[in-house]
Amino acid sequence: MEKQSFKQWFCSRKVQRRLVIFTFLLVPLVLLFMFTYIPFAKMIQFSFYDMKYLGARTFVGLKNYAEVFDRKEIFGSLFNSLYYMGGGVVQLALALFFATMMVFKVKGESVFKASLFFPYLICGIAVGFIFKFFYARGAVLDTILQMFGMNADKIPLWLQDQSINNVSLAATSVWRYTGQNVILFLGAMMSVDTDLYEAASLDGANRWQQFRYIILPSIKSIIVLNIILCVSGCLSAFEPPYVITNGTMGTGTYFVIMNRIAHENQKVGLASAMAIVLLILIILCTIGQKLFFKYAFDSSAEGSTIR
């Protein structure tokens, strides 16, 4: 067998194909390392220092991590995420309901779908300013309630009353993200074979039974994905409390407090430690959810097989 020269080897189809793949991957990989992995590594390094953006650094070891758990306004702000998680449950339930309605065909489906998805297209900062005016005393929501006969003195202060202001802020996230979940659910539902619905109808199954025994098992992976995205989004909620209330009156979420510590107080090391702690919490929640749903779905599938 004749030995190939370097030029022949380099111009061969196998080498050229690998070269093309490497060339196309090179730019995104460089960008990924430059703007993701290297900054992340630097953030881990900063979390062990007492430092500002400019100036001297002092190595403090795990002191910043201990401070994250010791300071009530930092770790305690995670409890505000429970309001957003409650809103996330409502959001997913509404999205599943609306998507199921549209998969069974309703009049005005296109208009209904567009109106649900439109809030997701609006910038989060703009949504914050919209609801800041919507919840203002004597503004849109108060006017609507008074039109239905509610006494103005009995209308709560939606953004000042600490018993309800976090609920009001969580409602903005429900309004904005329900349409996104509807589209994800609807896309999964439309992949289900329509012959199954026809066969179920011939067997006398109603809409609820079709949803429970055909749709729900078929879209379980999308449900798990939406729940994971919802929980991670709730833990990192930022725009509604930052724009509408600036994190005051007990509405500061973990991200808002972290932003305040990093930019207003210039405690970059502590803010970096907060970011690492949040990342670990999100990873643990994601793993826990995946294990739970894997066990839950496997158990339900096994139970239905036994029956």
Side-chain angles (χ1 to χ4, degrees):
M1 183 177 180
E2 185 179 352
K3 188 176 180 181
Q4 286 184 327
S5 65
F6 175 77
K7 183 177 179 181
Q8 290 175 327
W9 173 81
F10 186 78
C11 294
S12 65
R13 181 181 177 83
K14 182 178 180 181
V15 173
Q16 289 295 310
R17 184 174 57 186
R18 290 180 177 177
L19 185 63
V20 169
I21 294 172
F22 175 77
T23 304
F24 275 96
L25 284 175
L26 181 61
V27 174
L29 284 175
V30 169
L31 293 175
L32 185 65
F33 273 92
M34 185 180 298
F35 295 106
T36 302
Y37 294 124
I38 294 177
F40 179 70
K42 296 298 290 184
M43 184 177 67
I44 294 176
Q45 178 188 354
F46 293 161
S47 68
F48 296 104
Y49 287 85
D50 181 9
M51 56 176 288
K52 298 182 178 181
Y53 285 107
L54 299 174
R57 303 176 184 177
T58 304
F59 182 79
V60 294
L62 297 175
K63 181 181 177 182
N64 287 328
Y65 290 94
E67 192 171 351
V68 170
F69 295 94
D70 288 340
R71 291 179 59 168
K72 184 179 179 181
E73 72 273 18
I74 293 179
F75 199 72
S77 62
L78 282 173
F79 289 103
N80 286 340
S81 300
L82 297 176
Y83 291 98
Y84 294 89
M85 289 183 184
V89 173
V90 175
Q91 168 188 312
L92 292 175
L94 288 174
L96 199 56
F97 173 73
F98 290 138
T100 306
M101 282 180 57
M102 283 184 277
V103 84
F104 286 132
K105 303 299 180 184
V106 293
K107 291 183 179 180
E109 175 187 344
S110 299
V111 177
F112 192 49
K113 192 187 304 181
S115 62
L116 280 173
F117 190 67
F118 177 73
Y120 180 68
L121 301 177
I122 304 175
C123 171
I125 302 298
V127 171
F129 280 112
I130 289 170
F131 277 91
K132 189 172 185 177
F133 176 74
F134 181 77
Y135 287 129
R137 191 62 170 174
V140 180
L141 182 56
D142 289 1
T143 303
I144 293 173
L145 292 175
Q146 289 179 57
M147 287 173 59
F148 284 95
M150 191 170 182
N151 192 331
D153 296 331
K154 294 183 179 181
I155 298 176
L157 297 171
W158 303 105
L159 300 178
Q160 287 79 30
D161 187 349
Q162 294 192 21
S163 65
I164 199 173
N165 54 8
N166 281 301
V167 177
S168 302
L169 295 178
T172 66
S173 295
V174 174
W175 179 81
R176 185 184 180 198
Y177 291 107
T178 296
Q180 177 200 20
N181 295 126
V182 168
I183 298 301
L184 290 173
F185 282 139
L186 190 59
M189 291 176 184
M190 291 178 68
S191 65
V192 180
D193 189 356
T194 55
D195 292 339
L196 294 174
Y197 300 130
E198 296 176 5
S201 298
L202 292 174
D203 288 338
N206 55 32
R207 296 298 191 193
W208 164 248
Q209 291 169 329
Q210 291 179 34
F211 169 77
R212 181 179 177 184
Y213 295 108
I214 297 176
I215 294 177
L216 206 56
S218 301
I219 65 169
K220 62 182 181 181
S221 59
I222 300 298
I223 293 176
V224 173
L225 173 64
N226 276 342
I227 292 175
I228 290 173
L229 292 175
C230 181
V231 171
S232 61
C234 292
L235 288 173
S236 56
F238 176 73
E239 290 166 344
Y242 181 74
V243 177
I244 299 175
T245 62
N246 197 27
T248 59
M249 295 166 287
T251 61
T253 58
Y254 194 84
F255 251 56
V256 173
I257 302 299
M258 184 168 64
N259 174 74
R260 185 179 300 160
I261 287 173
H263 299 134
E264 296 180 14
N265 301 339
Q266 291 282 303
K267 293 186 177 182
V268 180
L270 178 58
S272 298
M274 289 178 66
I276 300 299
V277 170
L278 181 62
L279 176 63
I280 294 172
L281 287 174
I282 290 176
I283 291 173
L284 291 176
C285 288
T286 302
I287 294 173
Q289 287 175 96
K290 292 189 74 172
L291 292 175
F292 170 77
F293 283 108
K294 181 181 179 182
Y295 173 78
F297 281 123
D298 288 348
S299 297
S300 61
E302 183 182 351
S304 60
T305 302
I306 294 173
R307 289 193 297 271

